[in-house]
Amino acid sequence: MPKRDFLAIPDFSADELLTLLDLAGQMKAGVWRERPLTGKTLAMIFAKSSTRTRVSFEVGTLQLGGHPLFLSSRDIQLGRGEPIRDTARVLSRMVDGIMIRTFAHADVEELAQFATVPVINGLTDLLHPCQILADMLTIVEAFGTLEGKTVAWIGDGNNMCHSWLNAAGVLGFELRVACPAGYRPDQAIWDANAGRTTLVMTDEPGQAAEGAHVVTTDVWASMGQEEEAAVRARAFEGYLVDDALMRRADPKAIFLHCLPAHRGEEVTESVFEGPQSRVWDEAENRLHVQKALMATLMG
Ligand code: CP
Ligand code: NVA
């Protein structure tokens, strides 16, 4: 069987994604306790900081019987300029899967092209598909289904927004994106999904949130954009997720944030810590979906 990668949500069909979420749910409930990674190693390359991604993959690998290998790109030869395609072939001779978090999405695609073992995208500047798996599981837990749900994305048209667009396209839920001009998502990703589901673009957060089942946001300056923080803070004025915005949403709406969050910037303390917030379930679900993903690709 040819190896499979997970670089973007559309790498899996809707059925495959739902099966994966179901498996993650069984793992979380403790009814699925197999150890399909016994004797196997996952290499985890990090060119950016991480708490959730690192810990969920590391702990998840151990719980599945395997061995995780943390490789900071500052410490391996990749950081000194060894080509990604060489790194891919060397690691493929020694490990059973590679997870990578880095800047350029093209680097992850090149890694996957040259690796003979499954490659998992642990975040690039373009996409964050592993986080969206956790977000989907959190929505299913809250509402029982993704069907007929409306998600409001408030803020930057960034890697998270792009993966939400891909998820909406594959799974068919409605996605409303509120972004200021100049910070809208990638047009090609938008166009690829627009024909598959209802996508709405607005610069009015309230319009996006109206009746939505899920209100979600992310930091205004992502990793690598720290120097733009002041300019971005001005551009995103009015995009704060606060109680007034949550009141526009469905009364049972939940609030999601991939974390880390900047309280008082993109979300108020009261929403973040409030009764509609599911951010800790969402963070925990990283572990369960990452395990389901590894069991599927490497098991
Ligand atoms: N949400 C997320 O990917 O968190 P980390 O950056 O801590 O991995
Ligand atoms: N958009 C954020 C997500 C962090 C998990 C970033 O790329 O920094």
Side-chain angles (χ1 to χ4, degrees):
M1 242 189 6
K3 64 115 178 181
R4 282 191 76 184
D5 305 309
F6 184 67
L7 307 192
I9 292 285
D11 288 349
F12 280 27
S13 67
D15 278 351
E16 287 171 328
L17 288 173
L18 295 174
T19 301
L20 188 144
L21 295 182
D22 185 62
L23 177 59
Q26 291 181 47
M27 289 173 164
K28 184 171 183 175
V31 294
W32 196 100
R33 298 165 167 278
E34 293 170 39
R35 291 166 69 83
L37 264 51
T38 300
K40 297 186 176 180
T41 302
L42 175 76
M44 310 189 301
I45 303 173
F46 282 94
K48 289 175 174 172
S49 302
S50 173
T51 299
R52 281 142 288 265
T53 303
R54 176 177 175 181
V55 176
S56 60
F57 275 103
E58 193 157 335
V59 172
T61 303
L62 289 165
Q63 290 184 0
L64 294 175
H67 181 84
L69 203 56
F70 174 73
L71 303 172
S72 160
S73 66
R74 285 169 291 279
D75 300 327
I76 59 173
Q77 297 289 9
L78 185 64
R80 292 183 56 246
E82 183 169 18
I84 198 107
R85 56 185 64 193
D86 296 1
T87 306
R89 286 172 286 186
V90 171
L91 289 179
S92 294
R93 300 288 180 107
M94 301 187 195
V95 306
D96 304 281
I98 306 170
M99 194 286 304
I100 179 166
R101 165 170 288 197
T102 192
F103 294 85
H105 191 73
D107 284 350
V108 177
E109 289 180 332
E110 186 177 335
L111 185 77
Q113 187 191 337
F114 284 88
T116 55
V117 297
V119 171
I120 296 170
N121 176 4
L123 180 147
T124 63
D125 291 344
L126 191 70
L127 299 172
H128 195 5
C130 286
Q131 178 66 48
I132 293 295
L133 296 178
D135 296 5
M136 300 299 114
L137 181 59
T138 313
I139 295 173
V140 171
E141 286 174 343
F143 298 106
T145 179
L146 288 154
E147 229 169 283
K149 294 294 163 280
T150 299
V151 176
W153 173 265
I154 313 293
D156 191 14
N158 63 9
N159 44 10
M160 279 297 302
C161 180
H162 293 153
S163 286
W164 273 111
L165 285 167
N166 282 336
V170 176
L171 292 163
F173 56 85
E174 179 174 342
L175 180 65
R176 306 193 197 133
V177 175
C179 281
Y183 295 94
R184 292 192 168 168
D186 180 84
Q187 193 63 44
I189 296 177
W190 182 277
D191 292 344
N193 295 294
R196 298 187 187 154
T197 189
T198 307
L199 299 181
V200 176
M201 171 65 71
T202 173
D203 55 10
E204 292 273 341
Q207 203 181 322
E210 196 67 50
H213 303 98
V214 179
V215 177
T216 184
T217 186
D218 188 10
V219 292
W220 293 340
S222 284
M223 289 182 276
Q225 299 172 335
E226 289 79 2
E227 279 164 21
E228 297 172 35
V231 175
R232 284 172 165 269
R234 281 194 294 279
F236 288 99
E237 252 173 55
Y239 284 77
L240 171 78
V241 177
D242 59 9
D243 290 307
L245 190 70
M246 291 304 293
R247 277 196 294 274
R248 300 280 298 265
D250 186 273
K252 293 202 170 77
I254 60 169
F255 171 75
L256 297 181
H257 191 309
C258 64
L259 310 180
H262 292 162
R263 290 167 164 82
E265 212 168 287
E266 73 272 7
V267 57
T268 59
E269 174 82 13
S270 66
V271 170
F272 190 76
E273 298 285 0
Q276 290 171 287
S277 176
R278 293 287 182 281
V279 298
W280 311 122
D281 292 336
E282 183 186 6
E284 178 191 333
N285 285 341
R286 288 296 302 275
L287 173 64
H288 309 298
V289 297
Q290 263 48 128
K291 283 170 68 180
L293 181 62
M294 289 189 285
T296 303
L297 295 180
M298 296 167 60

